[in-house]
Amino acid sequence: MLRQNILQSLVTQTESKIILLVVDGIGGIPIVDGKTEVEAAYTPNLDKLAKESVCGVADPIAPGITPGSGPAHLSLFGYDPITYQIGRGVLSALGIGFELMDGDVATRGNFCSLDAEGIITDRRAGRIPTETCATLCRKIQTAIPEIDGVQIFVLPEMEYRFVVIFRGKGLSGEIADTDPQNIGVKPKPAVASAPEAERTATMVNQFIHYATEILKNEHPANGILLRGFASKPQIPSMSELYQLNAAAIATYPMYRGLAKLVGMTVIPTGETMQDELKTLQENYSRYNFFYFHVKKTDSYGEDGNYTNKIKVIEDMDKYLIPEIVALRPDVLAITGDHSTPASLKSHSWHPVPFLLHAKTARIDRVQSFSEIEFSTLGGLGRINSMEVMPLLLAHALKLKKFGA
């Protein structure tokens, strides 16, 4: 695979524009009539675009490896997700605009539902609204401002998601998740993954105990699950690596945090695809790279809602695709960060569809936006998601020749 420093040495600045449309969790496996959600959806605009593009499928990390959203996105942006392992808590904290200091430890939290025995019955507490999440965060924050000299910040992210930041001396993010990512079991205790994290793990367990006591009479959110403990890493920006003036349009804080981490300008937007589209249109002249994120495909996949996941894909086809194509970007890529099949109700290892539209593309034999067609007829075949960025730059004529 092309090393990042080699790619950086080939980059040249041009006026060409790139749009990377990431449809979160778009990949699926067949459920009804042998069709995935993508194949079951009515997508005339995506089908037309597929006929005029070069297509394939991409492995976010490697065949058989199920990725988290963070590493899957880093791979799409051209960063080796093995080299740059970034905790979910950092992305969530940055995404809500929290300024992390050196030594802070951040973690992403879920409000969850627990039964009388402390068993998890719902990892997402019925997807409580953001307003309820904010109320519960304030309640915990007020009751637990610090533990043993460690300052604690408890802040809402979106729906059932929240962020906890621990600030104090000698903290370590080397702590295993307390979220078992399953129902029917109890939350795990915080366990240090390295000796230097023992004190931090003890303090986190105290925080969990206190927070659970505070929430015990709440319904449905009477427990918490924590994952992605981490401190802010050092990572080169997309401007440094690719000479791009990059912007991000995303509704969910975690993805805005990831974009900030790699140096993108995060443009404020509303909560719907139509809001995101308007933001893109209004800012199109100001940037030469746009990361445009669609979230609900992943949410409905995690809920096991095959029908609603299809509807999001159809809405995207109807409302987004014609308007994005009308902007006439030099390169338009449509893909997912990972697959979230409704039948599994979770992320999976299946490769994601990848479409690349550009004047310089060698159009293949694909006739519809279909995972099967992309994998069997697509001219790109099966690639790794880290190869997406070099392809986008090349088709935008932003890469010089390698060697004499």
Side-chain angles (χ1 to χ4, degrees):
M1 199 174 297
L2 188 65
R3 293 199 302 271
Q4 199 172 56
N5 64 321
I6 299 297
L7 181 62
Q8 184 178 11
S9 71
L10 301 177
V11 169
T12 185
Q13 204 164 30
T14 72
E15 295 300 314
S16 53
K17 290 182 181 284
I18 300 169
I19 297 177
L20 173 61
L21 173 57
V22 179
V23 189
D24 204 304
I26 189 172
I29 54 180
I31 297 181
V32 180
D33 297 328
K35 294 181 179 180
T36 68
E37 296 91 333
V38 167
E39 292 159 354
Y42 176 64
T43 54
N45 294 306
L46 283 167
D47 292 345
K48 180 177 184 296
L49 196 61
K51 292 177 184 178
E52 302 166 352
S53 305
V54 62
C55 305
V57 294
D59 289 295
I61 309 298
I65 304 301
T66 298
S69 297
H73 271 85
L74 282 176
S75 189
L76 284 174
F77 300 153
Y79 296 81
D80 183 352
I82 307 302
T83 300
Y84 299 104
Q85 296 194 35
I86 301 166
R88 184 71 174 253
V90 167
L91 302 180
S92 293
L94 294 175
I96 63 171
F98 189 92
E99 293 297 327
L100 289 171
M101 295 175 58
D102 290 344
D104 286 355
V105 171
T107 182
R108 216 293 291 277
N110 279 18
F111 284 110
C112 68
S113 301
L114 305 174
D115 68 12
E117 304 301 319
I119 303 294
I120 302 166
T121 58
D122 186 343
R123 288 183 57 247
R124 302 178 181 89
R127 290 193 182 274
I128 56 173
T130 303
E131 294 77 13
T132 304
C133 177
T135 299
L136 296 176
C137 286
R138 285 193 296 270
K139 190 172 183 178
I140 296 171
Q141 175 74 82
T142 301
I144 323 174
E146 63 90 25
I147 295 175
D148 293 338
V150 175
Q151 193 174 2
I152 298 172
F153 304 88
V154 185
L155 301 165
E157 186 173 1
M158 186 170 280
E159 295 179 332
Y160 57 90
R161 304 172 182 88
F162 63 97
V163 189
V164 186
I165 300 96
F166 302 96
R167 176 171 291 170
K169 294 182 179 179
L171 300 179
S172 170
E174 296 295 320
I175 299 172
D177 297 348
T178 74
D179 184 357
Q181 302 205 33
N182 251 316
I183 61 172
V185 294
K186 291 185 177 182
K188 297 179 178 179
V191 176
S193 305
E196 63 269 22
E198 292 288 353
R199 171 176 169 262
T200 309
T202 298
M203 183 266 302
V204 169
N205 282 320
Q206 286 180 271
F207 171 78
I208 293 169
H209 172 73
Y210 296 152
T212 304
E213 280 295 305
I214 293 163
L215 296 170
K216 66 182 179 181
N217 294 322
E218 300 288 342
H219 182 78
N222 63 344
I224 63 171
L225 304 170
L226 304 178
R227 63 189 175 105
F229 291 88
S231 297
K232 187 178 178 181
Q234 297 299 314
I235 185 169
S237 72
M238 291 181 71
S239 174
E240 293 172 298
L241 292 175
Y242 312 130
Q243 297 185 38
L244 291 173
N245 182 18
I249 301 172
T251 61
Y252 272 53
M254 198 280 285
Y255 307 97
R256 296 198 293 264
L258 182 59
K260 281 184 181 180
L261 194 63
V262 297
M264 293 190 204
T265 298
V266 177
I267 308 175
T269 190
E271 295 185 2
T272 69
M273 281 192 288
Q274 288 87 342
D275 292 331
E276 290 182 282
L277 174 62
K278 184 179 179 182
T279 302
L280 173 65
Q281 292 167 330
E282 291 175 346
N283 291 273
Y284 191 64
S285 63
R286 299 175 57 200
Y287 304 92
N288 59 13
F289 180 95
F290 290 89
Y291 156 56
F292 190 114
H293 182 261
V294 173
K295 174 60 179 175
K296 287 296 184 181
T297 31
D298 180 59
S299 300
Y300 286 125
E302 289 184 334
D303 289 345
N305 196 327
Y306 179 78
T307 301
N308 278 5
K309 184 177 174 183
I310 290 171
K311 186 178 186 306
V312 175
I313 296 168
E314 291 179 340
D315 286 348
M316 178 185 70
D317 181 85
K318 182 177 180 179
Y319 298 113
L320 284 189
I321 301 304
E323 297 294 335
I324 290 177
V325 171
L327 291 172
R328 302 177 66 84
D330 297 279
V331 179
L332 169 61
I334 302 173
T335 189
D337 53 342
H338 55 76
S339 294
T340 308
S343 58
L344 297 181
K345 297 184 181 182
S346 66
H347 295 194
S348 78
W349 59 95
H350 300 87
V352 293
F354 175 60
L355 175 154
L356 192 154
H357 185 268
K359 289 181 180 178
T360 50
R362 290 176 176 169
I363 297 172
D364 51 35
R365 293 183 293 157
V366 167
Q367 296 298 298
S368 66
F369 196 83
S370 156
E371 287 143 314
I372 294 298
E373 285 203 27
F374 278 27
S375 60
T376 57
L377 302 176
L380 291 174
R382 186 167 179 168
I383 64 172
N384 186 279
S385 290
M386 275 192 66
E387 296 172 287
V388 167
M389 186 55 70
L391 285 170
L392 301 186
L393 294 169
H395 283 280
L397 303 180
K398 293 181 184 291
L399 293 182
K400 297 177 290 189
K401 180 176 67 174
F402 174 71

